Amino acid sequence: MVDASRTVLKYYLYRATSGPGFTYPIYTLFLLLNGLSFTAIGIIATVQSLIVVGGEIPTGYIGDRIGRRNSLLIAAVLFLISNAGYLFATDIWGFLFVFGTLSFGHTFVSGSGSAWLYDTLQEHDIEGEFTRISGRAGAINGVVMAATMIAGGLLYVVDPFYPFYAAVAFSTLNIGIVAFLPKNAAYDDDREHDGEGEALAMLDALPVIKDRIVSRELRWFVVYMALFSGALMTADMYIQPVVRDALEQSYGPVLSAYGIPEAATLGFFYASFMVVRAVGSDYASNVEAWLGVRKTVFLLPMTIAVFYLVPVLFPVAVFPMFFVMKGANSLIFPITGRYVNEQIASVGRATVISAIAMVRSVAGVPFRVGSGMFADLYSPIAAVAALGGVFAVGGVLIHLFAPPVRKQDEPETEMAAEAGPAESVD
């Protein structure tokens, strides 16, 4: 068996190169530069959502059939194709291909990425380290994204195509790293004929998905996290207009006086988000040990919701609001990832996790449409406040009448953090 520390190091390298931020702060500017309207950009976002909804379960199933490592390899190739596509796309059809390929690639990661890590740690009897390792990997990814976001904004000022050349280089490197990740033992070539690691047939997968999602351990957790993704994470789409307006009102004259380009400013601003996200992700296991899963999934989202409401009365709170959103979300992701993995058997794990991701994507659609209409009627910051209010009411009701995490799981998690590797609840 491959040494656990070497495998974890390879995983950290994979995460470091899996999401370069060269293009993130400037892709909207690049689309506008190519003549696309905001309506066209909205159409592209809608198509992306449809691809995610339609692709999550099939790609999760593929991950369970061909192996999680191979699924991650397919995703890496699709990300390379997407980044290269920017260099050739000139109209809405070209960019539909670019962003459609990107979204399709993410569906291969959403289930298989978490499933691969949990199964790999389980093979080494250290699955109790999932939150710490997943959080540390998220921190590494955040630091790399911060640096590449700054670089992307500066490169864009020099030449609009340079950030995409850099993204292509990173994507190529990522493919090579994924190829050296070990397969999960159940998919190892030496064991493929011994009857182990046999994936579910597609018809068998559907009832398994249904049984796990509606199980007592997960049904209200899935509903709550769908509300979290829809109501709170939808605010991410308002970062650019809200920050742009806030910067213009507060520091606009200073930026103009020093001739600082908009793209460079956004690069540094998004980079600061990634630093906060990296720190939060690295401390996820500490928060889990301190609060437990049950308290964490209540307190952190509620904190985000409260910060969404504050800028309506105090506009200066816009900046800390987004920092809280990014930081708290980076804490929640590894903790909830471990909880979900512990409720699912290894066979079909990627399929079920992808199905949960699909539910969260579906839940986001009405929030995006509704908040968009609200923003047109009032303002983007008012739309963000409305999202926070909806979540606060819905989240409190769910916790009062149908707690998303079983109460007995909290002390188990806390004891596991003190005693070492935890056993799966299954």
Short mmCIF file of all heavy atoms in Angstrom, two decimals, residues 178-233:
data_model
loop_
_atom_site.label_atom_id
_atom_site.label_comp_id
_atom_site.label_asym_id
_atom_site.label_seq_id
_atom_site.Cartn_x
_atom_site.Cartn_y
_atom_site.Cartn_z
N VAL A 178 -2.81 14.63 -11.57
CA VAL A 178 -3.93 13.71 -11.38
C VAL A 178 -3.54 12.29 -11.81
O VAL A 178 -3.90 11.31 -11.17
CB VAL A 178 -5.17 14.18 -12.16
CG1 VAL A 178 -6.28 13.13 -12.07
CG2 VAL A 178 -5.67 15.50 -11.62
N ALA A 179 -2.80 12.18 -12.91
CA ALA A 179 -2.40 10.87 -13.42
C ALA A 179 -1.56 10.10 -12.41
O ALA A 179 -1.52 8.86 -12.45
CB ALA A 179 -1.63 11.04 -14.73
N PHE A 180 -0.90 10.80 -11.48
CA PHE A 180 -0.06 10.14 -10.49
C PHE A 180 -0.77 9.93 -9.15
O PHE A 180 -0.18 9.38 -8.22
CB PHE A 180 1.23 10.94 -10.27
CG PHE A 180 2.24 10.74 -11.35
CD1 PHE A 180 2.36 11.66 -12.39
CD2 PHE A 180 3.07 9.62 -11.37
CE1 PHE A 180 3.28 11.48 -13.41
CE2 PHE A 180 4.00 9.43 -12.37
CZ PHE A 180 4.11 10.35 -13.40
N LEU A 181 -2.04 10.36 -9.04
CA LEU A 181 -2.80 10.03 -7.85
C LEU A 181 -3.09 8.53 -7.85
O LEU A 181 -3.40 7.95 -8.89
CB LEU A 181 -4.13 10.79 -7.82
CG LEU A 181 -4.09 12.30 -7.57
CD1 LEU A 181 -5.50 12.88 -7.68
CD2 LEU A 181 -3.47 12.63 -6.22
N PRO A 182 -3.00 7.87 -6.70
CA PRO A 182 -3.29 6.43 -6.66
C PRO A 182 -4.79 6.16 -6.84
O PRO A 182 -5.62 6.97 -6.43
CB PRO A 182 -2.82 6.01 -5.28
CG PRO A 182 -2.93 7.24 -4.45
CD PRO A 182 -2.60 8.39 -5.37
N LYS A 183 -5.09 5.03 -7.45
CA LYS A 183 -6.48 4.62 -7.53
C LYS A 183 -6.94 4.16 -6.16
O LYS A 183 -6.15 3.69 -5.34
CB LYS A 183 -6.64 3.46 -8.51
CG LYS A 183 -6.32 3.79 -9.97
CD LYS A 183 -6.50 2.56 -10.83
CE LYS A 183 -6.17 2.85 -12.29
NZ LYS A 183 -6.31 1.65 -13.15
N ASN A 184 -8.25 4.26 -5.90
CA ASN A 184 -8.79 3.64 -4.70
C ASN A 184 -8.59 2.13 -4.81
O ASN A 184 -8.63 1.57 -5.91
CB ASN A 184 -10.27 3.95 -4.53
CG ASN A 184 -10.52 5.40 -4.15
OD1 ASN A 184 -11.42 6.04 -4.69
ND2 ASN A 184 -9.71 5.95 -3.26
N ALA A 185 -8.36 1.46 -3.70
CA ALA A 185 -8.03 0.03 -3.71
C ALA A 185 -9.08 -0.79 -4.44
O ALA A 185 -8.77 -1.76 -5.13
CB ALA A 185 -7.88 -0.47 -2.27
N ALA A 186 -10.34 -0.39 -4.33
CA ALA A 186 -11.41 -1.15 -4.97
C ALA A 186 -11.33 -1.11 -6.48
O ALA A 186 -11.92 -1.95 -7.16
CB ALA A 186 -12.77 -0.62 -4.51
N TYR A 187 -10.59 -0.13 -7.02
CA TYR A 187 -10.49 0.01 -8.48
C TYR A 187 -9.08 -0.33 -8.97
O TYR A 187 -8.77 -0.11 -10.14
CB TYR A 187 -10.83 1.44 -8.89
CG TYR A 187 -12.25 1.82 -8.56
CD1 TYR A 187 -12.55 2.43 -7.35
CD2 TYR A 187 -13.29 1.54 -9.45
CE1 TYR A 187 -13.86 2.77 -7.04
CE2 TYR A 187 -14.59 1.88 -9.14
CZ TYR A 187 -14.87 2.49 -7.93
OH TYR A 187 -16.16 2.82 -7.62
N ASP A 188 -8.24 -0.87 -8.06
CA ASP A 188 -6.88 -1.19 -8.46
C ASP A 188 -6.88 -2.31 -9.50
O ASP A 188 -7.66 -3.27 -9.40
CB ASP A 188 -6.07 -1.62 -7.24
CG ASP A 188 -4.59 -1.78 -7.56
OD1 ASP A 188 -3.93 -0.76 -7.70
OD2 ASP A 188 -4.16 -2.94 -7.69
N ASP A 189 -6.01 -2.21 -10.49
CA ASP A 189 -5.97 -3.18 -11.58
C ASP A 189 -5.76 -4.60 -11.08
O ASP A 189 -6.26 -5.56 -11.65
CB ASP A 189 -4.85 -2.83 -12.57
CG ASP A 189 -5.13 -1.54 -13.31
OD1 ASP A 189 -6.31 -1.16 -13.38
OD2 ASP A 189 -4.18 -0.91 -13.81
N ASP A 190 -5.00 -4.76 -9.99
CA ASP A 190 -4.71 -6.09 -9.50
C ASP A 190 -5.91 -6.74 -8.83
O ASP A 190 -5.89 -7.93 -8.54
CB ASP A 190 -3.56 -6.04 -8.48
CG ASP A 190 -2.26 -5.58 -9.12
OD1 ASP A 190 -2.11 -5.81 -10.35
OD2 ASP A 190 -1.40 -5.01 -8.41
N ARG A 191 -6.94 -5.96 -8.59
CA ARG A 191 -8.09 -6.50 -7.87
C ARG A 191 -9.37 -6.44 -8.68
O ARG A 191 -10.44 -6.71 -8.17
CB ARG A 191 -8.30 -5.73 -6.56
CG ARG A 191 -7.11 -5.78 -5.65
CD ARG A 191 -7.32 -4.93 -4.41
NE ARG A 191 -8.50 -5.38 -3.66
CZ ARG A 191 -8.94 -4.75 -2.57
NH1 ARG A 191 -8.33 -3.69 -2.12
NH2 ARG A 191 -10.00 -5.20 -1.92
N GLU A 192 -9.25 -6.10 -9.95
CA GLU A 192 -10.47 -5.84 -10.70
C GLU A 192 -11.27 -7.11 -11.00
O GLU A 192 -12.42 -7.04 -11.40
CB GLU A 192 -10.14 -5.13 -12.01
CG GLU A 192 -9.26 -5.92 -12.96
CD GLU A 192 -8.93 -5.14 -14.22
OE1 GLU A 192 -9.38 -3.99 -14.31
OE2 GLU A 192 -8.24 -5.66 -15.08
N HIS A 193 -10.64 -8.29 -10.79
CA HIS A 193 -11.35 -9.52 -11.07
C HIS A 193 -11.72 -10.29 -9.82
O HIS A 193 -12.18 -11.42 -9.89
CB HIS A 193 -10.48 -10.42 -11.97
CG HIS A 193 -10.15 -9.81 -13.30
ND1 HIS A 193 -11.10 -9.48 -14.22
CD2 HIS A 193 -8.94 -9.45 -13.82
CE1 HIS A 193 -10.51 -8.94 -15.30
NE2 HIS A 193 -9.21 -8.91 -15.07
N ASP A 194 -11.48 -9.70 -8.64
CA ASP A 194 -11.75 -10.46 -7.42
C ASP A 194 -13.11 -10.17 -6.82
O ASP A 194 -13.44 -10.63 -5.75
CB ASP A 194 -10.66 -10.19 -6.37
CG ASP A 194 -10.65 -8.76 -5.89
OD1 ASP A 194 -11.52 -7.98 -6.34
OD2 ASP A 194 -9.79 -8.41 -5.06
N GLY A 195 -13.91 -9.37 -7.55
CA GLY A 195 -15.27 -9.11 -7.11
C GLY A 195 -15.40 -7.93 -6.19
O GLY A 195 -16.50 -7.53 -5.82
N GLU A 196 -14.28 -7.32 -5.79
CA GLU A 196 -14.34 -6.14 -4.92
C GLU A 196 -14.45 -4.88 -5.76
O GLU A 196 -13.98 -4.81 -6.88
CB GLU A 196 -13.10 -6.07 -4.04
CG GLU A 196 -13.00 -7.23 -3.06
CD GLU A 196 -11.85 -7.03 -2.09
OE1 GLU A 196 -11.71 -5.91 -1.58
OE2 GLU A 196 -11.11 -7.98 -1.84
N GLY A 197 -15.03 -3.87 -5.18
CA GLY A 197 -15.13 -2.58 -5.85
C GLY A 197 -16.09 -2.58 -7.01
O GLY A 197 -16.02 -1.75 -7.89
N GLU A 198 -17.00 -3.56 -7.01
CA GLU A 198 -17.95 -3.64 -8.10
C GLU A 198 -18.95 -2.50 -7.99
O GLU A 198 -19.62 -2.34 -6.97
CB GLU A 198 -18.68 -4.99 -8.04
CG GLU A 198 -19.45 -5.31 -9.30
CD GLU A 198 -19.96 -6.74 -9.28
OE1 GLU A 198 -19.16 -7.65 -9.02
OE2 GLU A 198 -21.16 -6.93 -9.50
N ALA A 199 -19.02 -1.67 -8.99
CA ALA A 199 -19.88 -0.49 -8.93
C ALA A 199 -21.33 -0.89 -9.12
O ALA A 199 -21.66 -1.94 -9.65
CB ALA A 199 -19.47 0.50 -10.01
N LEU A 200 -22.21 -0.04 -8.69
CA LEU A 200 -23.63 -0.27 -8.87
C LEU A 200 -24.01 -0.17 -10.33
O LEU A 200 -23.47 0.65 -11.07
CB LEU A 200 -24.43 0.77 -8.08
CG LEU A 200 -24.35 0.73 -6.56
CD1 LEU A 200 -25.02 1.97 -5.99
CD2 LEU A 200 -24.98 -0.53 -6.02
N ALA A 201 -24.96 -1.03 -10.75
CA ALA A 201 -25.56 -0.84 -12.07
C ALA A 201 -26.43 0.40 -12.01
O ALA A 201 -26.90 0.80 -10.95
CB ALA A 201 -26.39 -2.07 -12.45
N MET A 202 -26.65 1.03 -13.17
CA MET A 202 -27.36 2.31 -13.19
C MET A 202 -28.75 2.18 -12.57
O MET A 202 -29.19 3.02 -11.79
CB MET A 202 -27.47 2.82 -14.63
CG MET A 202 -28.00 4.24 -14.72
SD MET A 202 -26.91 5.42 -13.86
CE MET A 202 -27.74 6.96 -14.20
N LEU A 203 -29.47 1.09 -12.89
CA LEU A 203 -30.81 0.92 -12.35
C LEU A 203 -30.77 0.69 -10.84
O LEU A 203 -31.69 1.06 -10.12
CB LEU A 203 -31.52 -0.26 -13.04
CG LEU A 203 -31.87 -0.04 -14.51
CD1 LEU A 203 -32.54 -1.29 -15.09
CD2 LEU A 203 -32.79 1.17 -14.68
N ASP A 204 -29.68 0.06 -10.37
CA ASP A 204 -29.53 -0.14 -8.93
C ASP A 204 -29.13 1.14 -8.22
O ASP A 204 -29.40 1.31 -7.03
CB ASP A 204 -28.48 -1.22 -8.65
CG ASP A 204 -28.90 -2.60 -9.14
OD1 ASP A 204 -30.11 -2.85 -9.19
OD2 ASP A 204 -28.01 -3.40 -9.48
N ALA A 205 -28.45 2.04 -8.94
CA ALA A 205 -27.97 3.27 -8.33
C ALA A 205 -29.11 4.19 -7.93
O ALA A 205 -29.04 4.86 -6.89
CB ALA A 205 -27.02 3.99 -9.29
N LEU A 206 -30.16 4.26 -8.73
CA LEU A 206 -31.26 5.19 -8.46
C LEU A 206 -31.95 4.93 -7.13
O LEU A 206 -32.14 5.87 -6.34
CB LEU A 206 -32.26 5.16 -9.62
CG LEU A 206 -31.69 5.64 -10.97
CD1 LEU A 206 -32.75 5.52 -12.06
CD2 LEU A 206 -31.18 7.07 -10.87
N PRO A 207 -32.33 3.67 -6.81
CA PRO A 207 -32.92 3.45 -5.48
C PRO A 207 -31.94 3.70 -4.34
O PRO A 207 -32.34 4.11 -3.25
CB PRO A 207 -33.37 1.98 -5.52
CG PRO A 207 -32.70 1.37 -6.69
CD PRO A 207 -32.42 2.47 -7.65
N VAL A 208 -30.65 3.44 -4.56
CA VAL A 208 -29.65 3.72 -3.53
C VAL A 208 -29.61 5.22 -3.25
O VAL A 208 -29.56 5.65 -2.10
CB VAL A 208 -28.26 3.20 -3.96
CG1 VAL A 208 -27.18 3.74 -3.02
CG2 VAL A 208 -28.24 1.68 -3.97
N ILE A 209 -29.61 6.02 -4.33
CA ILE A 209 -29.63 7.48 -4.17
C ILE A 209 -30.83 7.90 -3.35
O ILE A 209 -30.73 8.68 -2.40
CB ILE A 209 -29.64 8.17 -5.55
CG1 ILE A 209 -28.31 7.92 -6.28
CG2 ILE A 209 -29.89 9.66 -5.40
CD1 ILE A 209 -28.32 8.39 -7.71
N LYS A 210 -32.00 7.38 -3.74
CA LYS A 210 -33.23 7.75 -3.04
C LYS A 210 -33.17 7.34 -1.57
O LYS A 210 -33.50 8.13 -0.68
CB LYS A 210 -34.43 7.08 -3.72
CG LYS A 210 -35.76 7.30 -3.01
CD LYS A 210 -36.89 6.62 -3.75
CE LYS A 210 -38.21 6.77 -2.98
NZ LYS A 210 -38.17 6.05 -1.67
N ASP A 211 -32.73 6.11 -1.31
CA ASP A 211 -32.70 5.62 0.06
C ASP A 211 -31.77 6.45 0.94
O ASP A 211 -32.09 6.76 2.09
CB ASP A 211 -32.26 4.15 0.09
CG ASP A 211 -33.33 3.22 -0.47
OD1 ASP A 211 -34.49 3.66 -0.58
OD2 ASP A 211 -32.99 2.07 -0.81
N ARG A 212 -30.60 6.84 0.40
CA ARG A 212 -29.65 7.58 1.22
C ARG A 212 -30.09 9.02 1.42
O ARG A 212 -29.96 9.57 2.51
CB ARG A 212 -28.24 7.54 0.58
CG ARG A 212 -27.59 6.19 0.58
CD ARG A 212 -27.75 5.45 1.89
NE ARG A 212 -27.21 6.19 3.02
CZ ARG A 212 -27.60 6.04 4.28
NH1 ARG A 212 -28.58 5.21 4.57
NH2 ARG A 212 -27.04 6.74 5.25
N ILE A 213 -30.61 9.65 0.36
CA ILE A 213 -30.99 11.05 0.50
C ILE A 213 -32.18 11.23 1.42
O ILE A 213 -32.27 12.22 2.16
CB ILE A 213 -31.27 11.67 -0.90
CG1 ILE A 213 -29.95 11.81 -1.66
CG2 ILE A 213 -31.95 13.02 -0.78
CD1 ILE A 213 -30.09 12.45 -3.02
N VAL A 214 -33.12 10.27 1.40
CA VAL A 214 -34.31 10.40 2.27
C VAL A 214 -34.11 9.69 3.60
O VAL A 214 -35.04 9.61 4.40
CB VAL A 214 -35.58 9.86 1.57
CG1 VAL A 214 -35.82 10.58 0.27
CG2 VAL A 214 -35.49 8.35 1.35
N SER A 215 -32.93 9.16 3.86
CA SER A 215 -32.68 8.51 5.14
C SER A 215 -32.75 9.52 6.27
O SER A 215 -32.62 10.73 6.07
CB SER A 215 -31.29 7.85 5.13
OG SER A 215 -30.27 8.83 5.07
N ARG A 216 -32.94 9.02 7.49
CA ARG A 216 -33.09 9.90 8.65
C ARG A 216 -31.85 10.76 8.85
O ARG A 216 -31.93 11.91 9.30
CB ARG A 216 -33.35 9.06 9.91
CG ARG A 216 -33.63 9.87 11.17
CD ARG A 216 -34.14 8.96 12.26
NE ARG A 216 -33.10 8.08 12.74
CZ ARG A 216 -32.33 8.36 13.80
NH1 ARG A 216 -32.48 9.51 14.42
NH2 ARG A 216 -31.43 7.51 14.21
N GLU A 217 -30.68 10.20 8.49
CA GLU A 217 -29.43 10.94 8.69
C GLU A 217 -29.24 12.09 7.72
O GLU A 217 -28.56 13.06 8.04
CB GLU A 217 -28.23 9.99 8.58
CG GLU A 217 -28.19 8.89 9.62
CD GLU A 217 -28.99 7.66 9.21
OE1 GLU A 217 -29.63 7.70 8.14
OE2 GLU A 217 -28.97 6.68 9.97
N LEU A 218 -29.83 11.98 6.53
CA LEU A 218 -29.50 12.95 5.48
C LEU A 218 -30.66 13.79 4.97
O LEU A 218 -30.41 14.86 4.39
CB LEU A 218 -28.86 12.22 4.28
CG LEU A 218 -27.41 11.77 4.42
CD1 LEU A 218 -26.94 11.08 3.15
CD2 LEU A 218 -26.49 12.95 4.74
N ARG A 219 -31.89 13.35 5.11
CA ARG A 219 -32.96 14.03 4.37
C ARG A 219 -33.06 15.52 4.70
O ARG A 219 -33.12 16.35 3.80
CB ARG A 219 -34.30 13.32 4.56
CG ARG A 219 -34.79 13.17 5.98
CD ARG A 219 -36.19 12.55 5.99
NE ARG A 219 -36.66 12.28 7.34
CZ ARG A 219 -36.66 11.08 7.90
NH1 ARG A 219 -36.22 10.04 7.22
NH2 ARG A 219 -37.10 10.92 9.13
N TRP A 220 -33.07 15.87 5.99
CA TRP A 220 -33.20 17.29 6.32
C TRP A 220 -31.86 18.02 6.20
O TRP A 220 -31.83 19.23 6.00
CB TRP A 220 -33.79 17.46 7.73
CG TRP A 220 -35.26 17.18 7.71
CD1 TRP A 220 -35.89 16.09 8.22
CD2 TRP A 220 -36.27 18.00 7.11
NE1 TRP A 220 -37.24 16.17 7.97
CE2 TRP A 220 -37.51 17.33 7.31
CE3 TRP A 220 -36.26 19.21 6.44
CZ2 TRP A 220 -38.71 17.86 6.85
CZ3 TRP A 220 -37.46 19.74 5.98
CH2 TRP A 220 -38.66 19.06 6.18
N PHE A 221 -30.77 17.26 6.30
CA PHE A 221 -29.46 17.85 6.05
C PHE A 221 -29.36 18.31 4.60
O PHE A 221 -28.86 19.40 4.31
CB PHE A 221 -28.37 16.82 6.35
CG PHE A 221 -26.98 17.34 6.16
CD1 PHE A 221 -26.34 18.05 7.16
CD2 PHE A 221 -26.29 17.12 4.97
CE1 PHE A 221 -25.06 18.53 6.99
CE2 PHE A 221 -25.01 17.60 4.79
CZ PHE A 221 -24.39 18.31 5.80
N VAL A 222 -29.84 17.48 3.67
CA VAL A 222 -29.83 17.84 2.25
C VAL A 222 -30.71 19.05 1.99
O VAL A 222 -30.33 19.97 1.25
CB VAL A 222 -30.28 16.64 1.38
CG1 VAL A 222 -30.46 17.07 -0.08
CG2 VAL A 222 -29.27 15.50 1.47
N VAL A 223 -31.88 19.10 2.61
CA VAL A 223 -32.78 20.24 2.45
C VAL A 223 -32.11 21.51 2.99
O VAL A 223 -32.14 22.57 2.34
CB VAL A 223 -34.11 19.99 3.20
CG1 VAL A 223 -34.96 21.26 3.21
CG2 VAL A 223 -34.88 18.85 2.54
N TYR A 224 -31.51 21.40 4.15
CA TYR A 224 -30.87 22.57 4.77
C TYR A 224 -29.70 23.08 3.94
O TYR A 224 -29.55 24.28 3.71
CB TYR A 224 -30.40 22.18 6.17
CG TYR A 224 -29.73 23.31 6.93
CD1 TYR A 224 -30.48 24.31 7.52
CD2 TYR A 224 -28.34 23.35 7.06
CE1 TYR A 224 -29.87 25.34 8.24
CE2 TYR A 224 -27.73 24.37 7.77
CZ TYR A 224 -28.50 25.37 8.36
OH TYR A 224 -27.89 26.39 9.05
N MET A 225 -28.86 22.17 3.45
CA MET A 225 -27.71 22.59 2.65
C MET A 225 -28.14 23.10 1.28
O MET A 225 -27.46 23.93 0.67
CB MET A 225 -26.72 21.43 2.50
CG MET A 225 -26.05 21.03 3.80
SD MET A 225 -25.31 22.42 4.72
CE MET A 225 -24.04 22.95 3.56
N ALA A 226 -29.27 22.61 0.77
CA ALA A 226 -29.82 23.17 -0.47
C ALA A 226 -30.27 24.61 -0.25
O ALA A 226 -30.04 25.49 -1.09
CB ALA A 226 -30.98 22.32 -0.96
N LEU A 227 -30.89 24.86 0.91
CA LEU A 227 -31.29 26.23 1.25
C LEU A 227 -30.05 27.10 1.43
O LEU A 227 -30.01 28.26 0.99
CB LEU A 227 -32.11 26.22 2.55
CG LEU A 227 -32.59 27.58 3.07
CD1 LEU A 227 -33.56 28.23 2.10
CD2 LEU A 227 -33.23 27.43 4.45
N PHE A 228 -29.02 26.55 2.06
CA PHE A 228 -27.76 27.27 2.24
C PHE A 228 -27.15 27.65 0.89
O PHE A 228 -26.78 28.80 0.65
CB PHE A 228 -26.79 26.40 3.04
CG PHE A 228 -25.38 26.94 3.10
CD1 PHE A 228 -25.06 27.96 3.98
CD2 PHE A 228 -24.38 26.43 2.29
CE1 PHE A 228 -23.77 28.46 4.05
CE2 PHE A 228 -23.09 26.91 2.35
CZ PHE A 228 -22.79 27.94 3.23
N SER A 229 -27.05 26.67 -0.01
CA SER A 229 -26.46 26.94 -1.33
C SER A 229 -27.29 27.93 -2.13
O SER A 229 -26.75 28.80 -2.81
CB SER A 229 -26.33 25.62 -2.11
OG SER A 229 -25.42 24.75 -1.49
N GLY A 230 -28.61 27.77 -2.07
CA GLY A 230 -29.47 28.64 -2.86
C GLY A 230 -29.54 30.05 -2.32
O GLY A 230 -29.28 31.01 -3.04
N ALA A 231 -29.87 30.18 -1.03
CA ALA A 231 -30.11 31.50 -0.47
C ALA A 231 -28.83 32.27 -0.18
O ALA A 231 -28.76 33.48 -0.44
CB ALA A 231 -30.94 31.38 0.81
N LEU A 232 -27.81 31.60 0.35
CA LEU A 232 -26.61 32.32 0.76
C LEU A 232 -25.54 32.38 -0.33
O LEU A 232 -24.93 33.42 -0.56
CB LEU A 232 -26.03 31.70 2.03
CG LEU A 232 -26.90 31.82 3.29
CD1 LEU A 232 -26.14 31.31 4.51
CD2 LEU A 232 -27.38 33.24 3.51
N MET A 233 -25.30 31.29 -1.03
CA MET A 233 -24.22 31.29 -2.01
C MET A 233 -24.61 32.00 -3.31
O MET A 233 -23.75 32.36 -4.10
CB MET A 233 -23.78 29.86 -2.31
CG MET A 233 -23.09 29.18 -1.14
SD MET A 233 -21.60 30.09 -0.55
CE MET A 233 -22.24 30.96 0.89
#
